[in-house]
Amino acid sequence: MTAPAQTPANQSLLGRLKDIAGHSHVLTSEAETYRFRHGFRFGAGKVLAVVQPGTLVELWRVAQACVAAGKIIIMQAANTGLTGGSTPDGNNYDREIVLISTLRLTGAHLIGGGKQVVCLPGATLYELEGMLGAIGREPHSVIGSSCIGASVLGGISNNSGGALVQRGPAYTEMAVFGQVGEDGTLRLVNHLGIQLGNDPEAILNKLQAGTFSDADIDWDAGRGHDNNYITHVRDVDADTPARFNADPARWHEAAGCAGKLVVFAVRLDTFPAAKNPAVFYIGSNSTDELEDLRRHMLTGFEELPIAGEYIHRDAFNIAEKYGKDTFAIIRKFGTKFLPKMFAMKSKFDIFSKKFGFLPENLSDRIMQALSMFIPTQLPKRMLDYRDKFEHHLMLKTSATLAAPMKAYLEQFFTTATGEFFECTPDEGSRAFLHRFAAAGAAVRYRAVHHREAEDIVALDVALRRNDREWFEKLPKEIEDKIIVKLYYGHFLCHVMHQDYVIKKGYNAMDVEHSMLPGLDQRGARYPAEHNVGHLYQAPDVMLAHYRELDPCNCMNPGIGLATKKKNWVAESV
């Protein structure tokens, strides 16, 4: 049988894509496409090609060509997702896949004096944070409140959450996107609230160049973030979670589209950066004490904290050992170096696979060995609390809230069993960085302990806002299949990240499925912020949403364990 890439129709399409994006930006070999086809934690499959357009017009033409050729399109930005939502899922598709990488489409335009921003598909959080930092403002999410290296549009497409409790999940009602209709035609939709003309290519040229004026902008076009979230999260007696991906209240076109649209730009609100924030480090051996703190912090002050991040002692220890090099690199070089580092790591992994005698995960094992020579990165007071307390909470407040919060904590811990201290600026920075280093620590642990570890189960769980029994207790039959558990999360929002390293010989998917009924009984919702990807069954309301956005099922089919077939034809049993 002729290989798919060698058929005349496919050769014609590949030639067209090379004419549009340039020969060097249409990748077809296994080695060239490897890092795009494999997810950060999950997801892998074959593609006909990976295309890297360099302009919005090129993206439009590439998408048009793929739709006309009847190919599946998977949109991918930074590929930092944890559920495989922007990579292929196996090879059981009824059409060939063209994966479109938007990494070259960087850039953002500040409008309204920086109170809002228009982000292009490849804009990353660190890029936007740097741009806004120069004018004393911040984006919706900041580095560390979501995946390090993540794209802005990836967050919007998946309603990503993050640590900043005042801002809620990533959301906007203003975007420019391409949508494939029931007739199989790709159309450009401008709901950005900016007059850019009528011709698609003229619109996209103007959008990329930013050649529009304030007079072109409709300042009442829609919301640029979920401005109701503060009221929502304060309702600590509600019997439902504060935020989760399958909440229809936070879907609007590009927001929550999960790759079912070709998104060219989104328009978002920005926020004043907090000056001289305070960080309090809290340790306790009582989950009840931390829950009492959470409820009062959300209801007892006129102003909400900026963030409240939880980490369990076991996750603290794993992150200290297996995330130390990432921690040190960010401290030394900043987050802007990470994408380059990950790209070099990916190239090394691809190269090492050519030699069958080399071990799996060689780059991780080398990096872990080198990390042994890095000195301890954590302050002594944090290490002392690690030894004394099982549960750790990092609380960041504005300068105005710092004094009332400190007074409350002093009073609370006169009778409570835990303790707290106010961090120096360096301690506060290290505390939050350590918390976010935990997110990649399980991956490194599995790579180093490959003989004992089968795989990782990674859950992000939205607990009910009134749930006092927030700390998980697993049945013994599940515990016996786990080497180590990493619990960490956005505590004030009651969103927990739960990573489990599964013992060799057990199927990780089976273990995960055995956990889900317990979460259902607790009234939890999952996933909370990483979206369904190819790991979770999307509920009916979410599948209806995806069908409305993509009636032909040609954009990222299979999301939410749905059918991958054209026009949503049911899979045969």
Side-chain angles (χ1 to χ4, degrees):
M1 181 178 176
T2 305
Q6 301 303 317
T7 65
N10 284 342
Q11 287 298 312
S12 175
L13 174 62
L14 292 174
R16 172 66 177 145
L17 297 177
K18 290 174 182 177
D19 288 341
I20 295 169
H23 283 241
S24 62
H25 298 299
V26 179
L27 314 177
T28 56
S29 74
E30 293 278 318
E32 288 176 323
T33 61
Y34 179 89
R35 68 188 180 98
F36 301 94
R37 295 183 291 107
H38 287 72
F40 179 66
R41 278 191 181 173
F42 178 86
K46 293 187 180 297
V47 298
L48 177 66
V50 171
V51 187
Q52 301 171 293
T55 68
L56 296 183
V57 169
E58 287 183 9
L59 173 57
W60 171 248
R61 292 174 179 173
V62 165
Q64 281 185 312
C66 293
V67 170
K71 305 304 181 187
I72 288 169
I73 295 175
I74 294 180
M75 299 296 300
Q76 184 184 96
N79 194 15
T80 58
L82 303 183
T83 59
S86 62
T87 54
D89 173 41
N91 301 311
N92 56 334
Y93 291 85
D94 62 346
R95 295 148 289 166
E96 288 130 3
I97 296 169
V98 176
L99 191 154
I100 302 177
S101 169
T102 62
L103 288 177
R104 296 178 64 211
L105 300 173
T106 59
H109 307 300
L110 300 181
I111 60 176
K115 292 182 179 180
Q116 289 189 332
V117 62
V118 175
C119 291
L120 303 187
T124 59
L125 285 177
Y126 73 81
E127 175 189 5
L128 182 56
E129 195 173 349
M131 176 186 293
L132 290 170
I135 59 171
R137 297 187 72 83
E138 290 180 340
H140 169 274
S141 298
V142 297
I143 297 303
S145 70
S146 61
C147 296
I148 293 172
S151 70
V152 177
L153 263 68
I156 292 294
S157 295
N158 293 296
N159 292 135
S160 298
L164 304 181
V165 66
Q166 300 173 10
R167 300 178 191 175
Y171 176 80
T172 186
E173 295 170 356
M174 298 171 286
V176 173
F177 55 90
Q179 184 173 29
V180 182
E182 291 184 8
D183 60 355
T185 300
L186 179 69
R187 295 177 177 84
L188 189 70
V189 179
N190 179 11
H191 287 169
L192 198 64
I194 302 177
Q195 291 296 324
L196 297 167
N198 298 308
D199 175 70
E201 295 197 0
I203 288 172
L204 296 175
N205 275 323
K206 195 170 184 178
L207 178 59
Q208 182 146 19
T211 52
F212 47 83
S213 67
D214 281 357
D216 296 319
I217 300 172
D218 176 4
W219 295 106
D220 298 313
R223 294 188 295 161
H225 82 288
D226 180 6
N227 53 6
N228 296 321
Y229 187 73
I230 287 180
T231 301
H232 188 69
V233 76
R234 281 186 185 272
D235 187 1
V236 296
D237 293 316
D239 198 38
T240 56
R243 55 179 169 92
F244 55 97
N245 290 126
D247 184 356
R250 297 187 181 94
W251 298 336
H252 187 88
E253 297 175 340
C257 72
K260 289 293 186 179
L261 301 170
V262 183
V263 184
F264 293 89
V266 294
R267 178 176 159 190
L268 305 167
D269 293 335
T270 71
F271 305 85
K275 296 180 180 179
N276 304 314
V279 174
F280 300 96
Y281 198 95
I282 298 164
S284 177
N285 289 314
S286 167
T287 57
D288 280 341
E289 284 184 358
L290 289 191
E291 182 59 22
D292 288 340
L293 284 171
R294 186 188 77 90
R295 294 175 69 87
H296 186 81
M297 289 172 187
L298 290 174
T299 61
F301 297 95
E302 185 175 339
E303 178 185 341
L304 283 183
I306 296 169
E309 291 295 293
Y310 167 81
I311 186 169
H312 184 266
R313 178 161 52 198
D314 291 346
F316 184 114
N317 290 334
I318 295 293
E320 181 190 15
K321 183 174 182 179
Y322 296 96
K324 184 164 64 170
D325 54 331
T326 300
F327 186 113
I329 288 168
I330 295 175
R331 290 285 301 172
K332 180 70 174 177
F333 300 106
T335 55
K336 64 182 179 181
F337 179 72
L338 287 181
K340 186 182 295 184
M341 183 189 78
F342 289 141
M344 291 189 295
K345 180 179 180 296
S346 178
K347 289 179 181 178
F348 180 84
D349 287 338
I350 294 168
F351 177 76
S352 65
K353 283 181 181 292
K354 296 178 181 179
F355 304 93
F357 62 87
L358 292 176
E360 286 285 319
N361 306 306
L362 183 58
S363 63
D364 277 300
R365 295 166 73 176
I366 291 173
M367 292 172 71
Q368 185 60 31
L370 293 175
S371 74
M372 298 302 159
F373 299 98
I374 299 174
T376 299
Q377 299 293 299
L378 299 178
K380 183 178 184 302
R381 291 202 285 183
M382 282 179 61
L383 295 172
D384 290 343
Y385 268 44
R386 180 267 312 274
D387 296 336
K388 294 174 66 174
F389 301 113
E390 181 180 1
H391 306 286
H392 299 244
L393 180 63
M394 289 141 275
L395 186 69
K396 182 181 287 187
T397 75
S398 69
T400 56
L401 184 57
M405 184 61 71
K406 184 176 182 179
Y408 167 69
L409 292 174
E410 287 174 341
Q411 185 275 328
F412 181 85
F413 285 110
T414 58
T415 56
T417 60
E419 298 176 17
F420 85 98
F421 64 86
E422 184 172 1
C423 296
T424 66
D426 181 64
E427 285 176 326
S429 173
R430 289 176 186 254
F432 273 87
L433 181 52
H434 180 62
R435 151 63 187 89
F436 294 111
V443 176
R444 175 68 60 80
Y445 184 99
R446 176 188 60 182
V448 173
H449 297 274
H450 59 97
R451 290 187 179 89
E452 301 87 24
E454 183 69 33
D455 208 342
I456 295 170
V457 169
L459 295 175
D460 60 303
V461 179
L463 304 175
R464 291 172 295 135
R465 283 168 281 173
N466 64 354
D467 192 351
R468 292 199 62 89
E469 302 296 326
W470 57 271
F471 191 71
E472 182 176 65
K473 296 178 178 66
L474 290 172
K476 185 178 185 302
E477 60 268 21
I478 297 178
E479 285 274 8
D480 289 345
K481 300 173 184 176
I482 298 170
I483 300 174
V484 67
K485 300 175 294 187
L486 285 75
Y487 292 134
Y488 52 95
H490 313 308
F491 189 62
L492 297 183
C493 297
H494 253 198
V495 168
M496 299 297 295
H497 296 282
Q498 302 176 176
D499 296 343
Y500 313 85
V501 181
I502 307 302
K503 291 179 181 178
K504 204 75 172 178
Y506 292 104
N507 182 284
M509 194 68 70
D510 290 344
V511 175
E512 177 177 348
H513 289 166
S514 71
M515 295 174 173
L516 301 184
L519 293 174
D520 294 338
Q521 290 171 11
R522 296 171 62 192
R525 299 296 298 267
Y526 49 86
E529 57 187 12
H530 291 153
N531 218 345
V532 289
H534 294 294
L535 280 179
Y536 298 93
Q537 176 69 56
D540 289 344
V541 66
M542 181 176 263
L543 292 178
H545 170 62
Y546 291 159
R547 284 193 292 269
E548 184 177 355
L549 292 177
D550 176 24
C552 294
N553 204 25
C554 60
M555 300 290 303
N556 211 8
I559 289 296
L561 304 182
T563 177
K564 296 175 181 176
K565 295 188 179 297
K566 186 176 181 180
N567 297 325
W568 297 89
V569 173
E571 302 280 1
S572 57
V573 179

